[in-house]
Amino acid sequence: MSVRLDRTIQDTGTKFRIFPQPRFLEGFEEPETIVLSVPKDQIQDGPADDRFYVVDAINKQPYNYPYAPPHQGDSNPPVRPDPKTGHFDHLDVDSREFKAAQMYATVRRTLDIWEDYFGHKLIWHFSMNYARMELVPLIHWDNAHSGYGFLEFGFGRTSWGGLDEDRPYCMNFDVLAHELGHSIIFASVGFPNPTTETAEYGGHGEAAGDLVAIVTALHSRLVVDHLLDRSAGNLFSVNELSRVGELAESRQIRRAFNYVRMSTVTNEEHDLSKPLTGAIFDVFVEVFQKKLVQANLISQDLADRSYHSLNEAIDTDQIQVEFEEAYQGNSEPFREALFAARDYLGSLLAKTWDSLSPHYLTYADIGLQLIAHDAEMTGGEHEEVIRDSLAWREIQFPSDSPALQSHYVSHYSSMRESDMNVELKREASVSMQRIGKPKTKSRNRRREAAKK
Ligand SMILES: [Zn+2]
């Protein structure tokens, strides 16, 4: 969401308190007040609005088609706003009502942010049957799921196997935002049919869920301050995760900082998502660094050295010291650069998702759309970064794709068909070798070293 729109809704929206990361993580023990776009006079008890409604069901089994919303059984009374102010920021953080409100506020905030990036209303994929999404925050179940017309959440498991009542999934911002991310993809990219579905469609959905969660979390003041204060903006450092500290336990952020490539993952959708999430997250970090350089907050030399800080000749502690000097007294402009990179990524992803076909979807299609929309948004300012990041992850057209074949001016009329096939395969393999090599070797070295 643009910083400007976020400021506008501060005056017109409804206040809630949420934990933007699990409250057992250091630095996130206290809730943060957020403002949703829905005005006080349009928010209903529940909480509910025109897109979502909470039902705090009791003694409920998980939905399992044809068992589907709306919930017909018993439920706790709807959560009501503070009668004095009309906001929902009065709830006791340890109460059941708070948990129901956190679930609603997190998904509503996620939708507010992403509809701003899309520039239009997202129509739920279940709109033929339901006007609103049902949110069930706390059922007695060791799982959580999103389905046709609902999100339904239970609890994590303790190490000895029972339900962990202290860790309900509805209090986990990342899990909620990731699940809503699936609904965002269904609303924008849509569905293949059984004959046109690819493994990369599934991998893309999981990557999208993680990226939606990360971009949404980067709207939290607590998360952004924590990330910048711990790293001093040196997100490319090898020690980025340890410097970010407890935030490294955030599963989305942990999954985004990865060094896997297409040749090192399986076709299982969560595994297959990692090279795509990693490539797109790398684009975000590089765009952030470019913005730091453009604002004269760090030098080009420091940015270049941080790219390949694992090169043995480079002193990583020295780089961190230089970042800390640059960050000192400049936290506000660093934050602005982070917001600019975040909003670039959010808009780029929304435009990309709106233009993808779900049928026969490949990561190469996504790469082309990222480059096309970067051209439209920035005149191609980040094209090389996108290309290098995808190439390093080995994201390319499949070797049998017609995209890799040449098209000749004249037919090989004198060539026997079998010879022609050999010739086409040879050409395809030569072009794969040629395009599979990213230009920026320094970035490769950094990642090669980090894999060890
Ligand atoms: Zn998922």
Side-chain angles (χ1 to χ4, degrees), residues 236-253:
F236 255 142
S237 133
V238 281
N239 291 320
E240 65 257 287
L241 285 183
S242 54
R243 287 214 174 87
V244 174
E246 295 290 336
L247 210 50
E249 285 190 37
S250 156
R251 60 179 202 154
Q252 267 73 27
I253 289 179

Side-chain angles (χ1 to χ4, degrees), residues 287-307:
V287 169
F288 168 56
Q289 287 221 342
K290 276 187 175 184
K291 295 199 180 289
L292 292 180
V293 173
Q294 283 161 5
N296 288 323
L297 292 161
I298 62 169
S299 65
Q300 184 66 53
D301 171 59
L302 179 57
D304 289 344
R305 278 183 291 135
S306 74
Y307 287 153

Side-chain angles (χ1 to χ4, degrees), residues 146 178-179 182 202 205-207 209-210 251-252 255 269-270:
S146 61
H178 175 103
E179 290 302 324
H182 283 299
E206 291 308 323
D210 284 350
R251 60 179 202 154
Q252 267 73 27
R255 287 204 294 244
E269 57 191 19
H270 295 87

Side-chain angles (χ1 to χ4, degrees), residues 125-369:
H125 65 286
F126 48 79
S127 292
M128 299 276 283
N129 301 89
Y130 304 111
R132 305 185 293 173
M133 185 185 289
E134 184 174 288
L135 306 175
V136 185
L138 292 161
I139 64 165
H140 203 75
W141 187 36
D142 63 346
N143 212 331
H145 62 163
S146 61
Y148 195 71
F150 67 88
L151 287 184
E152 184 170 54
F153 278 38
F155 298 84
R157 279 202 160 262
T158 60
S159 49
W160 57 90
L163 280 194
D164 189 347
E165 306 261 354
D166 292 334
R167 295 191 183 189
Y169 282 120
C170 73
M171 291 288 279
N172 191 312
F173 182 98
D174 289 343
V175 175
L176 282 163
H178 175 103
E179 290 302 324
L180 199 78
H182 283 299
S183 299
I184 290 172
I185 290 303
F186 297 153
S188 55
V189 181
F191 295 92
N193 60 53
T195 58
T196 64
E197 182 167 6
T198 58
E200 291 184 9
Y201 174 82
H204 165 250
E206 291 308 323
D210 284 350
L211 291 162
V212 162
I214 289 168
V215 170
T216 305
L218 290 174
H219 286 72
S220 154
R221 181 182 47 76
L222 278 174
V223 169
V224 168
D225 286 354
H226 193 89
L227 187 67
L228 287 178
D229 288 348
R230 299 294 175 96
S231 66
N234 183 15
L235 299 186
F236 255 142
S237 133
V238 281
N239 291 320
E240 65 257 287
L241 285 183
S242 54
R243 287 214 174 87
V244 174
E246 295 290 336
L247 210 50
E249 285 190 37
S250 156
R251 60 179 202 154
Q252 267 73 27
I253 289 179
R254 193 178 62 234
R255 287 204 294 244
F257 279 112
N258 71 58
Y259 296 98
V260 300
R261 305 172 187 234
M262 293 300 282
S263 60
T264 61
V265 293
T266 65
N267 264 358
E268 191 280 319
E269 57 191 19
H270 295 87
D271 202 30
L272 185 55
S273 73
K274 289 175 194 160
L276 183 62
T277 311
I280 294 174
F281 192 74
D282 288 347
V283 171
F284 160 72
V285 177
E286 286 207 33
V287 169
F288 168 56
Q289 287 221 342
K290 276 187 175 184
K291 295 199 180 289
L292 292 180
V293 173
Q294 283 161 5
N296 288 323
L297 292 161
I298 62 169
S299 65
Q300 184 66 53
D301 171 59
L302 179 57
D304 289 344
R305 278 183 291 135
S306 74
Y307 287 153
H308 46 104
S309 55
L310 273 162
N311 182 329
E312 279 170 23
I314 288 177
D315 183 343
T316 55
D317 288 342
Q318 175 59 26
I319 288 172
Q320 187 60 28
V321 166
E322 289 177 45
F323 265 96
E324 276 160 19
E325 283 168 5
Y327 183 66
Q328 184 73 33
N330 279 323
S331 59
E332 193 52 43
F334 267 70
R335 198 178 288 124
E336 280 166 22
L338 191 78
F339 290 162
R342 174 199 75 187
D343 290 341
Y344 163 76
L345 180 65
S347 296
L348 182 70
L349 288 172
K351 288 174 193 292
T352 295
W353 290 332
D354 255 349
S355 57
L356 285 177
S357 163
H359 304 292
Y360 305 108
L361 180 70
T362 68
Y363 287 179
D365 299 326
I366 298 164
L368 279 180
Q369 290 303 322

Side-chain angles (χ1 to χ4, degrees), residues 94-114:
D94 295 315
S95 65
R96 189 167 173 113
E97 289 79 8
F98 185 93
K99 296 179 180 73
Q102 157 126 3
M103 182 176 195
Y104 164 77
T106 303
V107 295
R108 180 70 224 195
R109 175 79 171 147
T110 306
L111 186 67
D112 281 350
I113 288 166
W114 284 92

